[in-house]
Amino acid sequence: EKNVKLLDKMTMLQQQNEELRARIEKNTVITRQLSEENANLQEYVEKEMEEKKKLSKTKEELLWKLQEEDATSPVKLQSSSSTFYGCSSRNSSPVKVRTLRQ
């Protein structure tokens, strides 16, 4: 009778062991997939950050060229002008800009 109980307990523990091994294998597969996805996302974020830096630099260069053109070109003052809203070069808050028509 004691041997039967021990055999039953051993069988139950072996089943639990197999279930745990299956769970570990499943978790290992999921961990690999998530690690791969994480690496891909990190690469994507780095590329996006580089693109943002390039765009920001291009924006700054264009704003500088625009300011240089405005400073060197003669402006004829007329009563008609147009107004548009843009972003300042130092922050992303809107700035009201008036352009004079020549």
Side-chain angles (χ1 to χ4, degrees):
E1 185 180 318
K2 197 172 189 179
N3 284 343
V4 173
K5 286 184 179 182
L6 287 175
L7 285 174
D8 287 344
K9 180 139 183 144
M10 187 177 80
T11 303
M12 182 189 69
L13 290 173
Q14 286 175 338
Q15 288 174 344
Q16 285 180 349
N17 191 19
E18 288 301 314
E19 290 171 5
L20 291 172
R21 286 181 191 273
R23 286 175 59 188
I24 288 170
E25 182 63 30
K26 184 178 178 181
N27 286 340
T28 301
V29 169
I30 291 171
T31 299
R32 284 188 193 126
Q33 290 172 344
L34 290 174
S35 292
E36 187 176 322
E37 185 178 348
N38 186 40
N40 290 338
L41 288 172
Q42 285 179 342
E43 184 179 331
Y44 174 78
V45 167
E46 288 174 15
K47 287 180 181 178
E48 287 293 315
M49 287 173 50
E50 285 300 316
E51 183 66 21
K52 183 178 177 183
K53 286 179 188 177
K54 287 178 186 177
L55 289 172
S56 180
K57 182 178 178 182
T58 301
K59 176 186 167 188
E60 290 294 326
E61 290 172 355
L62 291 172
L63 286 171
W64 183 81
K65 285 180 183 178
L66 185 62
Q67 289 173 351
E68 287 296 309
E69 286 178 13
D70 287 347
T72 59
S73 67
V75 177
K76 295 178 184 176
L77 296 178
Q78 293 182 352
S79 62
S80 64
S81 65
S82 61
T83 302
F84 68 95
Y85 290 86
C87 292
S88 69
S89 61
R90 298 210 179 242
N91 59 33
S92 61
S93 62
V95 175
K96 187 175 182 179
V97 178
R98 295 187 74 191
T99 57
L100 298 174
R101 294 185 186 162
Q102 298 181 354

